[in-house]
C-alpha cells in the first residue's frame, strides 16, 4: 500500500427527519445564502422543511443553479455574498448545486483578476466561506468531499477544482428527499457512483485488501440496490438509504487512500458533457468500457479480480474472463437505462477529433500514465 494522509471532517446527518436539526449545526446569528437549482426543492417539500428548520436565521436565496453549474451563473451569487455580508452557504440540491456553492465559497475571497483561474490555473485557495449541505440526489459524493466541477458556458470548458477548505461542515442526507427524483436521475446516480469506485479500484494491485473489499462491497451494493430503485414506482426507504450511503462512500476519499487512482474516464466524460451536454453519468457509461478494453493487458490483474469477485466469473481463459467482465459492466449500465454508445447521442468522428486535440494540447488525461492524450481518440472511436 502507498503512503497517505486521510482527512475528512464532514459531519454526516443521516436519516429521515434530519433536515429539522439544521439549526443545531449552523452558528447562531449566521447570515445564510441558501442556494438551489431549478426548483425541484419547491415541488417536493424540501424547501419548506429547510425554511421551517431555519426560522430564526436571516436567509437570502439564490436559485437557478443549472445542472453542470455555470461559472457565469455562480459569479452572480459571488457578488451577492460579497455585497450582503453573507457568512454561511447552504446548498440544497444535487451535486451541481453543491459543487457550484463550493465554487462560490472559494471565489468570494479570491484576490486575483479572474475567478475562473481557480479552475483554469488551479489558482491557490487560501480562504473560503463556510458551508453545510442538504443533499437531494445520491450520486456525486460532493456532500462528503472537497471538490467540484464547474462549466464555463462561454468556452465550453468543464473543469475540476478542490481544496480542503471546501469540505462541507456538515451534510444532511435524508433518503426521503430522493423520492421525487425522476428515473433518469436515479440511474445517473447509480452509474456515477459505480464509476467513482472503478476509477479508484480498477487500476493496479498495491496489496490493499481493505480498500479493495470496501470497493467491491460498494459495487455489489449498487448492482443489487440500483435495479430495485428503478423497478418500483413506490420508493422504499431502506433501498434509497442504502443507495444514498453507497454513493457517498464511493467518493469521500476513503477507498482511494493508498491505492492508484485514475480518473481518465471522468476527464474524457467531462469533455462529452462540455461539448454535447450529455449527462455526466451517461458520459462515464460510454467511456469506461472503451477504456477498460484498451487497458485489459496493463490492468489485467485487477480486471480478473473484479471479474471474479463482482461478477462471479471463474471459468474460461484470462482473456475471456476479462472480456466478459467488461461486457457485464456495460450490460449493467444498459440494464439501468443508459445508452452506452456515442452514436446513440449523435456524437461522431468530428467531435472525437476536437476532444482528442483538447487532450493533446493539455498533455495529460487522468492520473496514471497508462492513458496518454494520444489514446483518447482510439478509446472514443471504439465507442462510436
Ligand atoms: O435543479 P433542480 O430543479 O433541483 O433539479 C435537479 C436537476 O435537474 C434534479 N434533482 C435533484 N434532486 C432532485 C431532483 N429532482 C427531483 N427530486 C430531487 N430530489 O436532478 C437534476 C440533476 O441534478 P445535478 O445536481 O446536476 O445532478 P448530480 O447530483 O448528478 O450532479 C452532477 C454534477 O456533479 C459533478 C458532475 O460533473 C456534474 O456537474 N460531479 C461532482 C463530483 C464531486 N463534487 O465530487 C464528482 C462527480 O464525478 C461529478 O463530476
Ligand atoms: Zn462522477
Amino acid at each position: 500500500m502507498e503512503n497517505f494522509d486521510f482527512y475528512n471532517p464532514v459531519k454526516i446527518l443521516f436519516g429521515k427527519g434530519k433536515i429539522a436539526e439544521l439549526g443545531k449545526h449552523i452558528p447562531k446569528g449566521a447570515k445564510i445564502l441558501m442556494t438551489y437549482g431549478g426548483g425541484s426543492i419547491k415541488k417536493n417539500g424540501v424547501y419548506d422543511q429547510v425554511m421551517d428548520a431555519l426560522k430564526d436565521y436571516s436567509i437570502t436565496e439564490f436559485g437557478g443553479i443549472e445542472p453542470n453549474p455555470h461559472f457565469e451563473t455562480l459569479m452572480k451569487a459571488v457578488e451577492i455574498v460579497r455585497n450582503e455580508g453573507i457568512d454561511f452557504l447552504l446548498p440544497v440540491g444535487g451535486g451541481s448545486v453543491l459543487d457550484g456553492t463550493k465554487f462560490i465559497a472559494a471565489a468570494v475571497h479570491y484576490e486575483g483578476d479572474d475567478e475562473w483561474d481557480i479552475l483554469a490555473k488551479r489558482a491557490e485557495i487560501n480562504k473560503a466561506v463556510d458551508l453545510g449541505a442538504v443533499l437531494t440526489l445520491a450520486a456525486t459524493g460532493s456532500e462528503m468531499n472537497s471538490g467540484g466541477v464547474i462549466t464555463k458556458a462561454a468556452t465550453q470548458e468543464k473543469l475540476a477544482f478542490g481544496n480542503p477548505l471546501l469540505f462541507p461542515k456538515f451534510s444532511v442526507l435524508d433518503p426521503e428527499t430522493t423520492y421525487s427524483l425522476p428515473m433518469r436521475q436515479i440511474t445517473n446516480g447509480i452509474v456515477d457512483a459505480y464509476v467513482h469506485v472503478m476509477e479508484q479500484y480498477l487500476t493496479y494491485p498495491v496489496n490493499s485488501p481493505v480498500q479493495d473489499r470496501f470497493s467491491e462491497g460498494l459495487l455489489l451494493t449498487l448492482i443489487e440496490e440500483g435495479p430495485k430503485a428503478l423497478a418500483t414506482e413506490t420508493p422504499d426507504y431502506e433501498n434509497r438509504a442504502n443507495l444514498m450511503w453507497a454513493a457517498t462512500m464511493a467518493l469521500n476519499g476513503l477507498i482511494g487512500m493508498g491505492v492508484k487512482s485514475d480518473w481518465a474516464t471522468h476527464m474524457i466524460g467531462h469533455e462529452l458533457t462540455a461539448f454535447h451536454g450529455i449527462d455526466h453519468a451517461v458520459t462515464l457509461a460510454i467511456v469506461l468500457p472503451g477504456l477498460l478494453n484498451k487497458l485489459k493487458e496493463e490492468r489485467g490483474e485487477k480486471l480478473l479480480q473484479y471479474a471474479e469477485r463482482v461478477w462471479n466469473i471463474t471459468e474460461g481463459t484470462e482473456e475471456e474472463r476479462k472480456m466478459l467482465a467488461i461486457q457485464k459492466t456495460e450490460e449493467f449500465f444498459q440494464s439501468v437505462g443508459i445508452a452506452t454508445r456515442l452514436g446513440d447521442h449523435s456524437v461522431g468522428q468530428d467531435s472525437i477529433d476536437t476532444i482528442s486535440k483538447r487532450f493533446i494540447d493539455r498533455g495529460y488525461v487522468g492520473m496514471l500514465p497508462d492513458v496518454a492524450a494520444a489514446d483518447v481518440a482510439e478509446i472514443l472511436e471504439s465507442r462510436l
Side-chain angles (χ1 to χ4, degrees):
M1 205 193 304
E2 299 180 351
N3 289 1
F4 61 86
D5 292 355
F6 182 59
Y7 172 69
N8 193 315
V10 184
K11 186 184 290 178
I12 295 292
L13 308 164
F14 192 98
K16 59 176 100 175
K18 280 287 184 177
I19 294 175
E21 296 175 17
L22 268 175
K24 289 189 204 160
H25 304 279
I26 301 178
K28 295 289 163 246
K31 278 192 83 178
I32 301 173
L33 182 73
M34 174 190 176
T35 54
Y36 55 93
S40 68
I41 64 164
K42 294 206 167 160
K43 292 192 202 120
N44 62 12
V46 172
Y47 174 90
D48 291 337
Q49 288 184 54
V50 171
M51 286 303 180
D52 272 355
L54 298 179
K55 279 199 282 288
D56 300 334
Y57 289 83
S58 148
I59 303 183
T60 305
E61 292 179 30
F62 184 85
I65 297 179
E66 53 282 273
N68 309 304
H70 290 180
F71 169 75
E72 291 87 344
T73 304
L74 301 167
M75 283 309 297
K76 294 181 190 154
V78 169
E79 285 310 310
I80 295 172
V81 176
R82 285 177 180 155
N83 293 337
E84 298 190 11
I86 304 278
D87 53 16
F88 198 91
L89 304 177
L90 184 71
V92 183
S96 294
V97 175
L98 271 62
D99 283 10
T101 307
K102 288 176 181 174
F103 174 77
I104 298 166
V108 165
H109 295 296
Y110 183 67
E111 288 176 353
D113 297 334
D114 181 359
E115 289 81 357
W116 180 245
D117 288 346
I118 293 171
L119 288 298
K121 298 187 181 161
R122 295 271 175 146
E124 211 176 322
I125 299 165
N126 298 312
K127 198 175 170 193
V129 184
D130 285 350
L131 68 124
V134 177
L135 183 71
T136 64
L137 195 170
T140 63
S142 188
E143 64 278 10
M144 202 176 173
N145 68 42
S146 58
V149 191
I150 306 298
T151 296
K152 191 171 189 182
T155 51
Q156 293 184 298
E157 288 173 280
K158 183 176 184 190
L159 298 174
F161 71 113
N163 187 288
L165 293 168
L166 302 174
F167 277 114
K169 299 287 165 209
F170 62 80
S171 283
V172 180
L173 277 60
D174 177 348
E176 288 188 336
T177 64
T178 71
Y179 286 8
S180 57
L181 282 170
M183 289 297 174
R184 168 176 162 192
Q185 299 303 344
I186 297 173
T187 291
N188 283 346
I190 296 162
V191 172
D192 192 19
Y194 195 96
V195 180
H196 291 161
V197 178
M198 294 293 271
E199 297 272 24
Q200 300 164 89
Y201 164 76
L202 216 145
T203 59
Y204 294 89
V206 291
N207 197 355
S208 54
V210 173
Q211 294 90 323
D212 284 8
R213 290 193 169 100
F214 272 21
S215 297
E216 288 150 3
L218 292 170
L219 295 173
L220 288 165
T221 302
L222 292 164
I223 291 167
E224 281 171 21
E225 298 295 329
K228 283 190 216 163
L230 298 166
T232 163
E233 288 287 308
T234 319
D236 173 72
Y237 180 82
E238 296 299 332
N239 169 250
R240 294 302 177 93
N242 284 312
L243 277 179
M244 202 169 208
W245 189 227
T248 300
M249 290 297 291
L251 194 47
N252 67 357
L254 190 63
I255 62 168
M257 289 301 123
V259 303
K260 291 192 186 301
S261 294
D262 178 10
W263 301 105
T265 299
H266 270 69
M267 294 297 281
I268 301 171
H270 287 167
E271 299 302 328
L272 289 169
T273 303
F275 285 116
H276 299 282
I278 303 171
D279 286 359
H280 171 64
V282 177
T283 70
L284 307 176
I286 294 169
V287 175
L288 184 69
L291 180 127
L292 292 180
N293 196 43
K294 166 132 185 69
L295 295 174
K296 61 182 188 297
E297 299 309 321
E298 294 88 330
R299 300 198 189 174
E301 208 173 318
K302 265 323 211 5
L303 199 46
L304 287 168
Q305 178 179 325
Y306 167 69
E308 178 172 349
R309 295 195 193 171
V310 175
W311 295 110
N312 280 320
I313 301 168
T314 53
E315 287 177 8
T317 64
E318 289 197 348
E319 174 71 9
E320 284 166 350
R321 280 180 277 152
K322 289 186 221 170
M323 291 303 289
L324 188 55
I326 298 170
Q327 185 190 325
K328 292 263 186 202
T329 307
E330 185 167 359
E331 283 171 1
F332 174 61
F333 297 155
Q334 290 167 341
S335 75
V336 292
I338 290 196
T340 56
R341 288 272 167 182
L342 287 171
D344 300 327
H345 305 273
S346 311
V347 178
Q349 186 65 44
D350 49 342
S351 181
I352 294 179
D353 294 345
T354 309
I355 292 172
S356 167
K357 179 168 182 320
R358 210 172 232 193
F359 280 104
I360 287 167
D361 291 346
R362 194 180 287 163
Y364 66 93
V365 187
M367 292 169 69
L368 297 174
D370 59 6
V371 185
D375 299 328
V376 170
E378 183 187 332
I379 291 168
L380 287 175
E381 280 159 10
S382 75
R383 306 302 300 156
L384 277 168

